[in-house]
Amino acid sequence: MDYNTDRNKLVLPEYGRNIHKMVDHICTIEDREERNKAARTIINIMGNLNPHLRDINDFKHKLWDHLALISDFKLDIDYPYEIPEASHFLEKPKLIPYIEYPIRYKHYGKIIELMIKEAIKLEDAEKKSAFSLMIANHMKRSYLTWNRNVVSDENILNDLKDLSGGVLELPKDTKLFEPKDILVSPKKKNKQRKK
């Protein structure tokens, strides 16, 4: 039996083994003009296999780069574009720095802290109270997302007070959303089949 694990590894698997075999074959053709003609034919086939690439700028250039890559840059033909060096494909991409913000309560997230800062800026006491209640409900929702255990409203109100530096304080008897209203439970399937 001939297993894929026993065969040569495909450089670009999206083109399939037959394209790779064709490229290997044209590398063995001695006549340069014949190699050029065969390469153009393979480029047309590669374009037909991946029509989604046609939406990309320099579609043909990309195909010629792929041909050079599949041949391990050993194919001696007249390329219509400048072919990049093999070392270009070996270099690793630069790491994108991940910006970490100091978050006091990670289960609430950075957005809650930003919302609290905006609520502190409000001058209208009624709007500030309504916004604080909305933030507290969102804090409870976030808490229950990460911890399915029931959390008391008192804990959420204390965390709100702590995060706002004591500026946003709701009365201790404030009722937040109930967990059953926040958590969505999967609907029970009807086990009885209709006949």
Side-chain angles (χ1 to χ4, degrees), residues 9-167:
K9 186 179 178 194
L10 299 179
V11 178
L12 294 171
E14 60 266 24
Y15 290 111
R17 190 160 302 279
N18 287 332
I19 293 291
H20 284 71
K21 285 181 180 179
M22 286 182 212
V23 173
D24 289 343
H25 173 70
I26 65 170
C27 287
T28 62
I29 298 174
E30 292 183 15
D31 182 28
R32 185 178 182 85
E33 191 57 42
E34 195 65 32
R35 270 197 317 268
N36 285 329
K37 185 177 177 184
R40 284 191 295 275
T41 303
I42 290 176
I43 290 295
N44 289 334
I45 295 170
M46 288 166 64
N48 289 337
L49 287 175
N50 293 304
H52 62 277
L53 290 178
R54 291 185 181 158
D55 297 335
I56 298 173
N57 291 340
D58 296 332
F59 162 67
K60 289 286 187 181
H61 191 178
K62 187 172 190 102
L63 291 178
W64 284 99
D65 287 351
H66 288 178
L67 180 65
L69 195 60
I70 291 171
S71 70
D72 197 24
F73 301 93
K74 295 176 184 170
L75 188 59
D76 182 28
I77 57 172
D78 299 325
Y79 288 100
Y81 303 98
E82 182 180 334
I83 299 299
E85 297 176 16
S87 61
H88 174 74
F89 290 97
L90 297 176
E91 56 185 59
K92 292 186 177 184
K94 296 175 185 170
L95 287 176
I96 298 174
Y98 183 73
I99 300 171
E100 283 199 32
Y101 300 103
I103 301 172
R104 288 182 57 193
Y105 297 107
K106 293 203 185 254
H107 53 277
Y108 295 133
K110 185 68 177 171
I111 300 292
I112 290 292
E113 291 183 6
L114 295 174
M115 289 170 66
I116 289 172
K117 284 181 183 176
E118 291 301 316
I120 291 171
K121 293 177 187 176
L122 291 175
E123 294 179 12
D124 184 5
E126 189 176 317
K127 284 184 179 181
K128 185 181 276 193
S129 178
F131 195 31
S132 298
L133 180 62
M134 184 191 75
I135 292 171
N137 279 317
H138 192 71
M139 287 170 67
K140 188 169 185 177
R141 181 178 293 121
S142 296
Y143 188 97
L144 290 171
T145 299
W146 294 103
N147 186 359
R148 291 284 178 163
N149 296 333
V150 178
V151 62
S152 70
D153 292 348
E154 186 179 343
N155 286 353
I156 299 295
L157 297 176
N158 287 337
D159 288 348
L160 176 64
K161 183 179 177 182
D162 183 40
L163 285 170
S164 67
V167 176

